[in-house]
Amino acid sequence: MRVLKIIDGTSVDGPGLRTSIYFAGCSHHCHGCHNPQSWDPASGEEVDIEAILGRIEENDFDVTFSGGDPLYQVEKLTELAKRIKMCGRNIWCYTGYSFEEITNDPKLSAILPYIDVLVDSKFNLDLRDISLRFRGSSNQRIIDVKKSKPGQIVLWQD
């Protein structure tokens, strides 16, 4: 998997202390993106699933996938998420795709059984709001994936 960085013990990418993994590659190219260097799928370094799992276990925190767009590498990410869930961790995932786009795409939706919370939709600079918790613009939703289904989205409650 192409990884830009792994941050241990962050509290900005979901509740509590988390291990945040920033994946390379994003085709959304949101205007005003805070991480445009993540767009290049060849950036970062190749890291295998076992190394990432070792880091997560060492930290003993829940996990957040960010980027770039982690779903750019959805096949490998799904395998990683499955293994993380086997360890009992909570997983948040940030993506520029909407929940509806994900649920309508068999390739992307394969990850949903392993994601607890999805922060969806592209960052919109015109809707930027620094008072929002865990998201950058008001069009982005924090979705409780376990309680949601196609056509019925349940927002995460802290």
Side-chain angles (χ1 to χ4, degrees):
M1 303 184 79
R2 297 299 299 185
V3 174
L4 298 168
K5 62 184 169 184
I6 299 175
I7 299 178
D8 307 316
T10 183
S11 61
V12 298
D13 295 326
L17 294 176
R18 308 184 74 78
T19 298
S20 287
I21 307 161
Y22 290 80
F23 294 94
C26 184
S27 59
H28 303 297
H29 299 178
C30 302
H31 180 66
C33 174
H34 76 281
N35 202 7
Q37 67 275 15
S38 69
W39 297 351
D40 180 0
S43 61
E45 63 183 274
E46 191 70 25
V47 181
D48 68 31
I49 287 176
E50 295 303 323
I52 295 170
L53 288 169
R55 183 91 169 255
I56 290 166
E57 284 305 305
E58 180 182 309
N59 291 330
D60 198 26
F61 301 132
D62 287 327
V63 177
T64 297
F65 298 151
S66 193
D69 192 323
L71 299 188
Y72 195 86
Q73 303 182 59
V74 72
E75 292 93 354
K76 290 179 182 177
L77 190 72
T78 300
E79 179 59 31
L80 175 62
K82 185 180 195 180
R83 301 271 307 273
I84 291 169
K85 291 306 288 183
M86 290 170 56
C87 298
R89 304 275 181 231
N90 170 276
I91 301 174
W92 277 45
C93 181
Y94 284 79
T95 182
Y97 294 102
S98 70
F99 183 74
E100 293 81 4
E101 289 172 312
I102 296 167
T103 59
N104 288 325
D105 184 319
K107 183 177 164 184
L108 295 176
S109 65
I111 196 165
L112 289 177
Y114 310 106
I115 300 298
D116 296 287
V117 174
L118 184 78
V119 182
D120 83 334
S121 299
K122 298 175 188 176
F123 171 75
N124 184 324
L125 187 59
D126 293 333
L127 299 174
R128 181 175 181 256
D129 183 344
I130 61 171
S131 72
L132 297 172
R133 192 167 182 215
F134 304 132
R135 56 195 172 128
S137 58
S138 61
N139 63 301
Q140 295 173 306
R141 302 173 293 184
I142 304 175
I143 299 170
D144 187 324
V145 176
K146 301 299 182 202
K147 294 179 181 175
S148 297
K149 58 186 177 184
Q152 187 178 9
I153 291 174
V154 178
L155 297 180
W156 172 78
Q157 299 294 318
D158 190 5

